[in-house]
Amino acid sequence: MTTVISRTGWQIIALTIGLLVLAMVLAATLIASTGGSPTAAVQAMWTGSMADSTAWTVTLLSAAPVLLVAVGTCVCTAAGTFNIGQEGQVLIGGFAGALIGMRAPYDGSMLVVAVLVCGAIGGALWASFSAVIYHYRNVNVAVSTLLMTFIAVQVVSFAVTSPSILQEEGRGTSKIAGATSDQLPVNAQLRSLGEYPALQINLGLVLAVVLTVCVAVALTRTRWGLCLRLIGLNRLTAKHAGVRVGLMAGLALAISGAFAGLAGAVLLASPVGTNRLQAGLANNVGWDGLLVALVARNRPILCLPVALLFGILRAGGDFLSSSGVPFFLVDVVKALLVLAFVAPPVLIAALHKRNKSAHVPSPAPVEAVSNEKVTA
């Protein structure tokens, strides 16, 4: 079956390429304006993310949790529900995973499964609270999920500085910003396929890819996915079709939170960090996952290459300081890339609407009708 790209499609592709080139030029200009070298910055990004098997290992480790958050975002967006509190849900997922990993009486090989499951449940419950207060108090979901992110930070900060929760007795109650929990037990950590210095594929990445494919199939090939997309397109029509709109939308939000919580558990249990819970565990993974879904236009399969691109930016960004470039410029580059991918459809649609309105003929003037009777 041959796929034909319409004229509008070609216009979007051309504009996207043009904006990507412009984004790269702007990024190079910003780097040069801070006293850095664009060439050295590109070399640093390459060294940190793609130069060898070790760099690729770090890139894939960085991409896995971002991919999980992005796929969960695709689910709730399909139902017309906007969850922007993934950063907090990632933290709560990490907290729930750390709690079960360090306090569970069981210490067998299945402990890592318990960590991942509890992380997903924690994220789902945290997101479900926003669905509940929307149902009973009509509190805006986007606002409530965002504000609960700040509560999540305080909850995790309290947990890692309290010896009775995630620290051994006698370690003290340090209140510094860098306070961490005890290290996760070995049986609660995710294994990797391969050994250093060869490429290592962490099981967290395998899990993320499998779930991405499952969600893509579920959204496009199942009745459940059809109901979600119908809710996202028109809630009134979905209600008349017999879909339980409130329940399905709340379930989509909970699933989104579960994916974010699972991402937090993966961050905690994988070698991407120190396997310790801290208030900065999320490290913008929630925000990056939201941007990945936005760039992929809420299509789970497209989230795979976009998440890989963000993984490259996250892994390579750690090497930017060696070239004299401020690390925050990585966020600027991300923003420029997001605009380059998201803006073209909006701009093309606005241009077509303007051209269409300009070519609509104005109505002919109506001649005045005399009130006098016309005599034969």
Side-chain angles (χ1 to χ4, degrees):
M1 182 177 179
T2 304
T3 301
V4 179
I5 302 178
S6 64
R7 179 183 177 185
T8 301
W10 283 114
Q11 290 174 341
I12 292 175
I13 292 173
L15 185 56
T16 300
I17 295 174
L19 289 179
L20 283 174
V21 173
L22 179 60
M24 295 298 100
V25 172
L26 289 175
T29 303
L30 287 173
I31 292 173
S33 65
T34 59
S37 168
T39 304
V42 172
Q43 181 62 36
M45 292 287 292
W46 170 264
T47 302
S49 60
M50 296 180 288
D52 50 29
S53 57
T54 302
W56 272 110
T57 298
V58 177
T59 295
L60 296 178
L61 282 172
S62 302
V66 173
L67 177 60
L68 286 170
V69 174
V71 173
T73 303
C74 293
V75 173
C76 67
T77 305
T81 304
F82 300 101
N83 176 18
I84 58 174
Q86 290 92 339
E87 189 79 0
Q89 293 151 19
V90 169
L91 271 177
I92 293 300
F95 169 62
L99 194 62
I100 194 67
M102 297 177 190
R103 295 302 182 187
Y106 176 73
D107 192 29
S109 58
M110 294 298 290
L111 183 60
V112 63
V113 177
V115 169
L116 297 177
V117 171
C118 288
I121 293 174
L125 292 176
W126 196 256
S128 296
F129 180 75
S130 295
V132 171
I133 61 177
Y134 172 75
H135 179 74
Y136 289 102
R137 292 295 182 181
N138 200 30
V139 179
N140 185 275
V141 172
V143 173
S144 62
T145 52
L146 176 62
L147 294 180
M148 288 187 69
T149 297
F150 301 98
I151 301 177
V153 172
Q154 299 304 317
V155 169
V156 173
S157 297
F158 174 77
V160 297
T161 55
S162 300
S164 60
I165 301 179
L166 294 176
Q167 293 181 357
E168 295 178 356
E169 295 291 344
R171 274 191 58 189
T173 57
S174 174
K175 301 296 181 181
I176 61 175
T180 64
S181 69
D182 291 335
Q183 190 173 33
L184 208 63
V186 175
N187 285 337
Q189 298 176 18
L190 285 166
R191 304 292 191 270
S192 296
L193 306 176
E195 295 183 1
Y196 179 84
L199 177 66
Q200 301 175 66
I201 306 295
N202 189 258
L203 293 180
L205 176 65
V206 177
L207 177 63
V209 173
V210 170
L211 289 177
T212 299
V213 175
C214 291
V215 169
V217 173
L219 286 178
T220 57
R221 295 289 186 266
T222 65
R223 181 179 178 181
W224 173 79
L226 175 62
C227 291
L228 276 187
R229 289 184 284 119
L230 183 58
I231 294 172
L233 292 172
N234 193 312
R235 293 202 169 201
L236 184 59
T237 302
K239 187 175 181 180
H240 285 305
V243 179
R244 302 179 66 179
V245 174
L247 179 62
M248 291 291 288
L251 179 62
L253 184 60
I255 291 174
S256 176
F259 271 84
L262 180 60
V266 169
L267 276 173
L268 178 72
S270 66
V272 71
T274 59
N275 302 122
R276 297 175 184 269
L277 179 67
Q278 56 184 333
L281 173 73
N283 192 24
N284 293 329
V285 165
W287 305 122
D288 284 353
L290 186 61
L291 293 178
V292 168
L294 186 63
V295 172
R297 296 173 189 170
N298 299 311
R299 298 176 183 176
I301 294 299
L302 289 183
C303 287
L304 287 168
V306 179
L308 179 60
L309 173 61
F310 273 67
I312 290 172
L313 291 174
R314 291 179 67 89
D318 295 335
F319 279 71
L320 278 181
S321 57
S322 63
S323 63
V325 178
F327 181 80
F328 66 82
L329 282 181
V330 176
D331 293 329
V332 176
V333 174
K334 290 178 186 176
L336 292 173
L337 289 176
V338 169
L339 288 175
F341 281 104
V342 174
V346 178
L347 294 176
I348 294 298
L351 182 62
H352 285 181
K353 184 177 180 180
R354 180 180 178 183
N355 292 338
K356 187 176 180 180
S357 61
H359 288 84
V360 173
S362 57
V366 179
E367 295 182 359
V369 179
S370 174
N371 293 327
E372 299 178 358
K373 289 185 177 181
V374 180
T375 60

